[in-house]
Amino acid sequence: MKNNLLLKWRWRECWQGQLWPITLALSLIIACVFALSALVTRVDKIMVDQGRSALGADLVLVSNQQPISPDTLASAKKLGLTISQQTRIRTMAFSDNGMQLISLKAMETNYPLRGELQLDASPLTANEKNLTMRQHVQPNELWLAERLFNLLDVRIGDTVAIGDAELTVSGKIAEDPELSFNPFNQMPSAIIHLDDIAKTGAVVPGGRLSYRAYFSGPDSALNQLQQEISITASQRWLSEQSQGRSAEFINKAQQYLSLTLLLVLLMASATLVLTSQHYRNSQQSTVAMLKSLGASQAWLRRWLAGQLAMLFGLSIAIGISCGFLLEQLLRLPLTDLLPDPLPSIGFSPWLVSIGIALLVGLPSMGISLLHLLATPATSIIGQDTPTKKQYWAYSLLLLPLISLIVWFGNNKMMWLTLVGLAVILVLLGALGLLITKLLQQKRWGPAVTLALSRLNRSRIASMAQLGALTCSLMLLSVIWLLRSDLLNDWQQTLPANAPNVFAINIAPNQVDAYINQLDQWQLDHSQAYPVIRGRLTQRNDEVLQSVSAAVATKPETEADKEKDSALRRELNFTWLQQLPSHNEVLEGKWSTERGVSVEQDIAKRLNIKLGDTLHFSVNSQSFSAKVNSIRKVEWRNMKPNFYFIFSPDVMADLPTTWLVSFRIDDQQTGLLNQLARDYATVSLLDLRSMATRIQSLLQQVAWSLTVLAALAVLSGLLLVLTLLRLSVSQRQQEIKLYRTLGASKKRISATLWAEYGLMALIAGFTAALGAQGIIAAVVKWGFELPVQSHFYLFITLPLLALALIYVITLSMFKQLLAPLRA
């Protein structure tokens, strides 16, 4: 019976006493961490799988000019890895009706090791497609990219000559796992079996050859292979982590998720601390009474431990259940992108969510409960009886502190955020108190005068309340505005009217006619760019790369790999009279004589400065130019961009082809086919499906961020509710004193509304000031985005604070003033 009574007491405390805000805060922490951890686990596994599928393997070794060493392949076999080899070469394909420069891939039958190669051998109707679809190449087969059928004017069964070999067309390449969206490197592909490459006679010294070895197996074996093999300057590893800019916005989204989760944890932790402190104060008389009735310290520890265990058990059950639902909600906009079935989440989200709840909850509640246990029995007689301080209880703070060090490690942005929030909390609280002090020097009505007197009389408490309320409003603003700034950046990166078709290899005598054709059809297009491929060989007197660097055999260090990433291949050069409008000059000034403008990232990697003289090689012709400007280039906007842009006098006499990008809608596909027929030698790269997919992905990720931001706002509102609830409850004794002295209910109500109204206005103003500073710092140094002004915060936040306080405290004030009725 005693146990049942204790159980009912604990249950009543959790739901009807002072512990329900703690239960709610803990549940919110567990739900947020579980949902985000589960979603990130799934997305990470999917991104790794899709990244490797796009490579055709788990790991790829690329070797230019030189075949891959048999020792490398033998080492991979010893490690139990599956291997597939491929040879690539650029060569000419001839039919009875045309010829075309192609990218020839000679591969083994087991390619790809990851992803899908879809080869369509159906000659007639789409109904036969499923019956004639193949996944692997067999000897004596030739598969062509779809546009090669038009360029060469061939059909399935026709003969195409590649070098010395005459091969029969087997069908078209419906899907190739190795996708590249660099328009300069695109040319139509043809696929044959590796055994047939010798028949072509295309593998000759000096040819543009590329050898690839594809590996699949456990990550440990892949890592060991990379450690054992010393690659040369002409070789490089490809993995899903080397896909670069295409996943940049996903990385920023993950940064936002981490930062938002941190802020949610901070606000929920603050709620726990405040509520635990209030629970301690409200239960001191109960503990003193129990001690006076003979309750031992051991019994009290068991009582509070049982209370704590029930609270954590209830919070875990609610939090995990809500976490499942929240993960479903966050995953809802990504349904079209996620595979079926989904990868499992494992035990990680369970352990992480419960572990973080314990790390946050134990110190927040444990310190208050240990102080509560130290309450003397004599305090039931006098409230001012001193309580013995339990300083050792603060050692519980080591749990989250050590965890933060392990979790964040050297993540500067997270540490700066934590330190900055701590400093800003103190500064904003002090600023709010200073404002109330200045206001008190003016003459006001009785209600406002009493409110200011109340705020300035208990400065420490007022500073804590103002600082906490200000910080809550500020964090809500930071979360929402950061989401808005990220979405604005993404929308500017890939606007709805972004170009989705590139026309490449336009002959000089075709440029004007091609542009006129686009204008007649009223298609939005870029300017025409002359394009020529070459190498950067020398900076001032320092040789960066010799012309024969492609066949170098010197082992490459990690520093060389990072520094020379743009030197191992030919780059695309252009010359213009004026710099493109979508490029921003950071240093220097564009000149039209013997000058070159350099993109900022490659300038930083290669230590290129203004005034340096750079030497280049194009088709064995050497020339030089002086660096006149450093540019910022947005690579994600699908517009033509270049590392080096020359003034016309430097390379206008060199033979070039031209490039133009334009936009067409799905209803204008016929125009694209007409261009392909009218200009058979011009290569068209249709990126419509990729652009549509990226825009869809941006919208879906934006929806997920919005859901997460709304969840963070809920956490912030819970903190505001807790702050106001505790603050109002502290006014009870003071209101009784006012009533004893003859104050009317109307006067007391006016004083309370004046006090909280002033608190709302001051907190809203200072929160807007702090949010503006934090957003600017995080956006600039954390996400590397342009800083935007949000001056409207100085109006919206004070008004929002007033509205929140009115809604939250209205019922509290009615309850607080109810006993005063006659």
Side-chain angles (χ1 to χ4, degrees), residues 453-654:
S453 175
R454 171 69 177 79
L455 290 173
N456 287 299
R457 186 167 61 251
S458 51
R459 295 183 179 179
I460 300 299
S462 298
M463 180 177 173
Q465 289 178 1
L466 280 172
L469 182 59
T470 300
C471 197
S472 301
L473 295 171
M474 181 185 66
L475 292 181
L476 293 180
S477 304
V478 168
I479 290 170
W480 195 261
L481 290 177
L482 185 56
R483 164 201 166 272
S484 301
D485 286 351
L486 277 177
L487 297 186
N488 288 337
D489 174 67
W490 291 341
Q491 290 169 357
Q492 293 174 5
T493 295
L494 192 61
N497 61 346
N500 53 21
V501 177
F502 282 79
I504 313 165
N505 299 326
I506 306 175
N509 60 352
Q510 295 177 315
V511 175
D512 293 337
Y514 204 94
I515 296 297
N516 290 336
Q517 185 70 69
L518 297 179
D519 290 335
Q520 289 178 11
W521 290 340
Q522 298 181 345
L523 297 178
D524 291 335
H525 62 83
S526 69
Q527 68 183 95
Y529 293 87
V531 178
I532 190 169
R533 297 179 65 84
R535 293 179 181 272
L536 171 64
T537 60
Q538 188 173 331
R539 181 190 65 238
N540 297 324
D541 296 329
E542 180 184 356
V543 176
L544 298 175
Q545 177 178 277
S546 64
V547 177
S548 60
V551 294
T553 57
K554 180 181 177 181
E556 184 179 36
T557 65
E558 290 298 325
D560 292 333
K561 294 177 188 177
E562 177 65 23
K563 178 180 178 182
D564 298 338
S565 60
L567 300 178
R568 292 193 297 266
R569 59 185 175 87
E570 288 186 335
L571 303 175
N572 298 286
F573 301 151
T574 190
W575 51 265
L576 297 172
Q577 190 71 30
Q578 294 181 342
L579 288 177
S581 59
H582 57 274
N583 283 204
E584 178 185 354
V585 175
L586 302 179
E587 300 179 46
K589 186 177 180 181
W590 174 252
S591 64
T592 57
E593 295 182 358
R594 305 299 302 175
V596 60
S597 179
V598 185
E599 188 268 340
Q600 63 171 344
D601 288 337
I602 196 173
K604 182 178 180 180
R605 293 204 310 270
L606 300 180
N607 196 28
I608 296 174
K609 307 294 184 183
L610 286 177
D612 286 351
T613 299
L614 303 181
H615 299 266
F616 302 87
S617 174
V618 172
N619 296 329
S620 300
Q621 299 184 47
S622 299
F623 59 91
S624 62
K626 188 175 183 180
V627 178
N628 56 33
S629 61
I630 306 294
R631 291 172 294 116
K632 179 181 179 181
V633 175
E634 177 53 73
W635 295 99
R636 301 169 297 170
N637 58 17
M638 295 185 70
K639 295 180 180 179
N641 283 308
F642 302 84
Y643 281 128
F644 299 96
I645 299 179
F646 297 84
S647 57
D649 59 326
V650 175
M651 53 187 302
D653 295 333
L654 295 175

Side-chain angles (χ1 to χ4, degrees), residues 94-98 142 144-161 167 169 171:
F94 298 89
S95 70
D96 293 338
N97 303 309
L142 172 63
L144 302 179
E146 185 172 5
R147 57 192 174 113
L148 272 178
F149 285 86
N150 291 327
L151 294 173
L152 296 176
D153 192 14
V154 295
R155 287 178 170 77
I156 295 176
D158 291 349
T159 300
V160 172
L167 302 169
V169 178

Side-chain angles (χ1 to χ4, degrees), residues 31 45 48 50 158-159 226 261 273 315 352 373 378 388 467 619 759 761 785 800 821:
K45 289 183 178 180
V48 169
Q50 291 181 347
D158 291 349
T159 300
Q226 293 182 79
L261 179 59
V273 171
S315 299
V352 170
L373 284 173
T378 54
K388 184 179 179 180
N619 296 329
M759 188 182 298
L761 292 174
L785 299 176
L800 176 63
R821 297 173 181 173

Side-chain angles (χ1 to χ4, degrees), residues 309-379:
M310 175 175 283
L311 187 147
F312 269 100
L314 190 61
S315 299
I316 290 172
I318 296 175
I320 294 295
S321 300
C322 293
F324 269 114
L325 296 176
L326 182 59
E327 198 258 345
Q328 295 281 341
L329 184 63
L330 289 174
R331 183 157 38 95
L332 185 62
L334 303 175
T335 301
D336 295 337
L337 300 173
L338 301 180
D340 186 20
L342 287 171
S344 64
I345 60 175
F347 295 102
S348 176
W350 297 77
L351 298 177
V352 170
S353 58
I354 296 175
I356 288 180
L358 291 174
L359 290 173
V360 172
L362 287 178
S364 301
M365 301 172 58
I367 294 174
S368 295
L369 293 180
L370 288 173
H371 284 302
L372 180 60
L373 284 173
T375 302
T378 54
S379 64

